[in-house]
Amino acid sequence: MKEYWSTRIRDMVPYTPGEQPKGRTFIKLNTNENPYPPSPKVLEAIQAAAGDLRLYPDPESTALRDALAELYGLKRGQVFVGNGSDEVLALAFQAFFDPGRTILFPDVTYSFYPVFAKLYGLSFREVPLNERFGVPVEEFLGENGGVILPNPNAPTGRALPLEDVRRLAEGNPGAVVLIDEAYVDFGADSAVGLVERHPNLLVVQTCSKSRSLAGLRVGFALGHENLIAALECVKNSFNSYPLDRLAQAGALAAIQDRAYFQETTQKIIATRERFTGQLREMGFQLEDSAANFLFITHPKVPAKALLDGLRERGILVRWWDKPRISNHLRVTVGTDGEMEALCRALEECLSAELMAAF
């Protein structure tokens, strides 16, 4: 029963986040969380910031924005921060896209995009990726109301060369091109260096993945000052204090500890490359990933059977019952020990399923 519900949301199908299990210990490879803890400096900063919580936090997140501006060679006015990149994306959908113009994003991509579009009454078109889940850049050029593209894409992990991002920005001069770089630190090239030359290009990133702060909820956008001003306008019409004192302090410490950031991201990249080869030897098919996850399929065993078999063995991965990808699993790159356990469990699942087929 949906009495009193707005007509806008009565038929909405909200985004479904990855399972956060309760009551049982799992090896959790289903939500792309970093397997390593945040920098020790983050916890020190949070403890120091917790001394007086009776006052509102800085509504402009000045120190954090200054640190991000310094990191990326920008000005403070080119940096926006929000309560996780999902909030930043939601504000961007409101700030830049109009109901009368169709926005474009891939057919296989982050499943929050169509949810946002429907919530805000926006027309959209899902552009099919090619057979290997590559982005057909030409299909995103021309008359449209905006382009949203993750780089690397999720859940495929495939990265788009910077030259193609430049083509998207130049080929859509009358619309915003939003590049969602949630996973860029694991092997793709960031488009931040292009924002000075392309006033319609907005880059969105997060501290959740490469800086191990998924529980703190800090995301940010980088772009021309005009785009940032639009985001600030929406934010200040909705929630002037999206980041609390602890989130600002923790994110600032994480951004400033570049050595720790490099150490943990390189560990994940090395583990990903090693286990990509091992999974291929086991018969799995997968494209090279530039993210902290792998998108795998097996030609003889259905993905849903593997999903269920892994869960029985205490390992969670992600599966979608959707066209084109229902026979794929997205597997977060964990520690070496977690990935070794995954491979042992997959071998057991494959053996059991193949034996049952005869």
Side-chain angles (χ1 to χ4, degrees), residues 15 17 80 82-94 110-113 116 120 180 182-183 204-209 217-220:
Y15 172 77
F80 176 86
N83 185 25
S85 61
D86 284 338
E87 181 183 74
V88 176
L89 291 168
L91 298 177
F93 269 68
Q94 296 174 78
Y110 186 29
S111 51
F112 226 141
Y113 300 154
F116 284 142
Y120 300 126
D180 184 353
Y183 303 100
V204 175
Q205 292 192 17
T206 178
C207 292
S208 294
K209 312 301 183 181
R217 314 306 302 130
V218 178
F220 54 95

Side-chain angles (χ1 to χ4, degrees), residues 303-333:
K304 183 60 165 60
L306 293 172
L307 174 84
D308 294 339
L310 289 173
R311 186 182 179 84
E312 291 175 3
R313 292 164 175 81
I315 300 175
L316 298 180
V317 296
R318 195 78 190 267
W319 173 77
W320 291 270
D321 187 12
K322 292 184 177 181
R324 299 191 67 187
I325 62 172
S326 61
N327 201 36
H328 287 74
L329 297 175
R330 191 196 68 192
V331 180
T332 304
V333 177

Side-chain angles (χ1 to χ4, degrees), residues 264-276:
T264 54
T265 52
Q266 289 304 313
K267 280 183 182 179
I268 292 168
I269 291 169
T271 299
R272 181 191 69 206
E273 296 308 298
R274 183 160 54 253
F275 283 90
T276 294

Side-chain angles (χ1 to χ4, degrees), residues 17 65 130 230 282 305 319:
R65 291 171 64 202
N130 64 30
M282 295 168 60
W319 173 77

Side-chain angles (χ1 to χ4, degrees), residues 40-94:
K41 296 179 181 179
V42 169
L43 301 182
E44 295 173 6
I46 290 174
Q47 289 171 349
D52 191 353
L53 298 180
R54 65 187 179 83
L55 300 177
Y56 282 108
D58 175 8
E60 303 300 326
S61 300
T62 306
L64 177 57
R65 291 171 64 202
D66 285 345
L68 288 165
E70 179 183 357
L71 178 64
Y72 293 106
L74 301 172
K75 299 184 288 291
R76 182 194 301 166
Q78 295 176 284
V79 180
F80 176 86
V81 297
N83 185 25
S85 61
D86 284 338
E87 181 183 74
V88 176
L89 291 168
L91 298 177
F93 269 68
Q94 296 174 78

Side-chain angles (χ1 to χ4, degrees), residues 34-256:
N34 197 309
Y36 301 107
S39 162
K41 296 179 181 179
V42 169
L43 301 182
E44 295 173 6
I46 290 174
Q47 289 171 349
D52 191 353
L53 298 180
R54 65 187 179 83
L55 300 177
Y56 282 108
D58 175 8
E60 303 300 326
S61 300
T62 306
L64 177 57
R65 291 171 64 202
D66 285 345
L68 288 165
E70 179 183 357
L71 178 64
Y72 293 106
L74 301 172
K75 299 184 288 291
R76 182 194 301 166
Q78 295 176 284
V79 180
F80 176 86
V81 297
N83 185 25
S85 61
D86 284 338
E87 181 183 74
V88 176
L89 291 168
L91 298 177
F93 269 68
Q94 296 174 78
F96 305 121
F97 306 138
D98 292 317
R101 303 181 67 197
T102 301
I103 59 175
L104 309 179
F105 44 79
D107 66 332
V108 178
T109 193
Y110 186 29
S111 51
F112 226 141
Y113 300 154
V115 174
F116 284 142
K118 292 174 183 177
L119 178 63
Y120 300 126
L122 301 172
S123 300
F124 65 91
R125 180 165 66 88
E126 296 175 307
V127 178
L129 300 179
N130 64 30
E131 293 180 357
R132 296 181 59 184
F133 299 118
V135 175
V137 175
E138 295 295 332
E139 297 296 320
F140 287 88
L141 305 179
E143 184 59 33
N144 61 68
V147 171
I148 306 98
L149 191 69
N151 195 35
N153 194 13
T156 68
R158 293 204 57 184
L160 196 67
L162 278 185
E163 173 59 23
D164 286 337
V165 176
R166 183 193 61 77
R167 289 175 61 204
L168 288 170
E170 292 182 351
N172 294 287
V176 168
V177 174
L178 191 161
I179 305 298
D180 184 353
E181 294 187 344
Y183 303 100
V184 72
D185 295 322
F186 299 105
D189 293 323
S190 175
V192 173
L194 300 177
V195 301
E196 292 281 10
R197 299 193 298 275
H198 300 286
N200 63 327
L201 179 63
L202 187 75
V203 175
V204 175
Q205 292 192 17
T206 178
C207 292
S208 294
K209 312 301 183 181
S210 58
R211 290 183 171 84
S212 307
L213 296 182
L216 213 55
R217 314 306 302 130
V218 178
F220 54 95
L222 309 163
H224 192 276
E225 292 182 6
N226 178 57
L227 299 185
I228 302 305
L231 289 172
E232 291 284 352
C233 178
V234 177
K235 181 205 81 165
N236 290 325
S237 303
F238 173 72
N239 179 9
S240 296
Y241 299 96
L243 287 188
D244 61 45
R245 285 178 177 273
L246 307 188
Q248 290 186 41
L252 175 60
I255 294 297
Q256 291 176 334

